[in-house]
Amino acid sequence: MTELPLLFTPLQLRDLELKNRIMVSPMATYSAQEGRATDWHTAHIGKLAAGGAGLVFVEQSSVNTQGRITHGCLGIWDDTHIADHAALAGLIHSFNAKAAIQIAHGGRKGSSQRPWEGGNPLGEADIKARGEGPWQIAASSGIPFDDGWPAPQMLTSEQIDALVDDYRQAFRRARAAGYDVIELHCAHGYLMHSFLSPLANNRNDQYGGSRENRMRLPLRIAAIMREEWPDNLPAFVRISSVDGVDIGWSIEDSIAFATELKAIGIDMVDCSSGGMKLPRGNSLVSRTPGFQVPFAERIQKEVGMPTVAVGLIREPDYAEAILRDGKATLIALGRELLWNPNWPAQTALALGCDPEWTSWPEQYGWWLKRRVAQQGR
């Protein structure tokens, strides 16, 4: 019997079994209304879940209204959001996939236009055009995200304590909604990343200065996430493995952070990068296939902790090689799945893992299989 490719070998995470090693990465679509999911989310998530991935993430969901990036961000700050999330989790489960959610706070990148509206800070023109005004943003420090952006309010110790409770309540709502996996967003310049990175954090209290202090709040919240999440289900953390080239947060910092996350009981680190505005000479190298895989590899091998590899992983053979070489444990795809949501099911066919077309929804798998047979393919 031919050995099954690792990409389609089930993965056990605590008591949760994923049918394969393909993960749909959380992708913000900025299409919610007052934090509520819409028909768009049903169509979007349904399409991705039907494609055959083992783990499907719903987009980042904000812990409070201040934590939104845009007026269109999905929320989990109120009990009224639970029903919408339960519907999305149930939809994912209906396609024999596991459902996951990313919990986030936009920090100093909040109060922004949607990307297709310009992605700039909200202002008077947005009020006139759509009735969507700006709000007070908050971060680790009062450092603006970029030139022309508003300075965020530096969170006080009391506000941090209130924020921690917001996260706790969000974790509880996520479980009430029926998600199988939860992920804390500590990447891409958002709030938790702004505490970690010395480029955004110039505090002089227990949450700033040394690396130990800058890690304190993200680790505090990660520990609460693990405490609130059922012992039999896995919890992830997404990080920006590096800020850039020879600047700010480094891979060595990420290794130290992952070591602490492992001690807390976090099951996997989702290894992304970037999110800070940097001088041209310090920007990350050109985005080529697998450009973030070395970060996942180092953390997995040096910390002894499973990682998610993400970043222009498009070819099945390359995805399989990453797993075979022990560079990561899960393969996450984002924009590739927007282009072709059936990538997992098609890959299973191409690699000979699914001769009976079981990765495809039976509602159309049967006639696709028949058509291929008739065409002699």
Side-chain angles (χ1 to χ4, degrees), residues 50-348:
L55 183 63
V56 179
F57 263 90
V58 170
E59 65 192 74
Q60 62 177 36
S61 299
S62 303
V63 300
N64 55 32
T65 56
Q66 187 181 56
R68 295 169 296 167
I69 303 169
T70 74
H71 280 278
C73 286
L74 198 61
I76 196 163
W77 65 75
D78 191 273
D79 287 351
T80 59
H81 293 146
I82 295 173
D84 289 351
H85 282 286
L88 293 175
L91 179 61
I92 294 168
H93 290 150
S94 73
F95 290 107
N96 191 31
K98 302 305 181 184
I101 184 173
Q102 184 184 73
I103 306 298
H105 186 296
R108 63 186 190 153
K109 297 174 79 173
S111 191
S112 303
Q113 300 165 335
R114 296 170 184 84
W116 56 86
E117 295 161 353
N120 297 309
L122 291 167
E124 289 296 324
D126 301 289
I127 298 174
K128 294 177 180 178
R130 298 180 303 281
E132 295 182 340
W135 61 88
Q136 175 65 58
I137 55 175
S140 61
S141 304
I143 304 172
F145 171 64
D146 195 11
D147 294 340
W149 284 66
Q153 175 190 56
M154 185 178 79
L155 289 166
T156 66
S157 295
E158 292 77 14
Q159 289 170 330
I160 286 174
D161 289 341
L163 174 69
V164 168
D165 189 62
D166 287 342
Y167 271 97
R168 184 187 293 276
Q169 298 307 319
F171 300 147
R172 291 176 177 176
R173 293 184 189 107
R175 186 54 198 143
Y179 287 107
D180 305 297
V181 176
I182 194 164
E183 180 175 85
L184 175 62
H185 200 344
C186 292
H188 303 163
Y190 300 125
L191 184 63
M192 290 299 102
H193 186 193
S194 80
F195 274 87
L196 292 169
S197 174
L199 299 179
N201 185 342
N202 64 2
R203 301 175 72 101
N204 57 12
D205 63 0
Q206 62 178 327
Y207 295 109
S210 68
R211 181 173 68 192
E212 178 183 9
N213 281 355
R214 286 182 280 112
M215 293 193 303
R216 190 180 306 278
L217 181 58
L219 288 174
R220 179 182 173 186
I221 294 175
I224 290 171
M225 179 173 70
R226 185 65 273 176
E227 175 188 322
E228 293 292 341
W229 207 240
D231 288 341
N232 65 318
L233 294 177
F236 295 8
V237 172
R238 171 166 273 204
I239 65 170
S240 279
S241 305
V242 299
D243 282 340
V245 179
D246 299 324
I247 191 170
W249 185 260
S250 68
I251 185 61
E252 288 74 23
D253 293 325
S254 288
I255 289 169
F257 186 44
T259 300
E260 296 297 327
L261 292 172
K262 180 181 179 183
I264 287 171
I266 299 304
D267 299 278
M268 193 166 293
V269 174
D270 189 353
C271 298
S272 190
S273 64
M276 297 291 178
K277 286 291 184 178
L278 303 174
R280 184 180 298 273
N282 298 114
S283 296
L284 292 170
V285 296
S286 299
R287 295 191 171 195
T288 55
F291 70 103
Q292 294 172 148
V293 171
F295 307 138
E297 179 181 12
R298 282 199 61 181
I299 291 172
Q300 180 155 300
K301 291 182 176 179
E302 295 185 32
V303 181
M305 183 180 194
T307 60
V308 180
V310 61
L312 297 183
I313 301 171
R314 296 169 172 164
E315 300 301 324
D317 289 343
Y318 180 46
E320 176 69 11
I322 292 169
L323 298 175
R324 288 285 176 196
D325 293 343
K327 296 179 179 180
T329 298
L330 273 178
I331 301 296
L333 288 84
R335 278 167 281 194
E336 184 66 16
L337 293 180
L338 298 181
W339 176 256
N340 178 13
N342 294 321
W343 189 97
Q346 289 178 344
T347 297

Side-chain angles (χ1 to χ4, degrees), residues 349-372:
L349 285 176
L351 297 181
C353 302
D354 190 17
E356 299 302 319
W357 291 64
T358 57
S359 296
W360 299 77
E362 59 185 7
Q363 290 89 339
Y364 56 77
W366 70 272
W367 65 260
L368 285 174
K369 180 181 179 181
R370 182 180 179 184
R371 179 173 180 176
V372 169

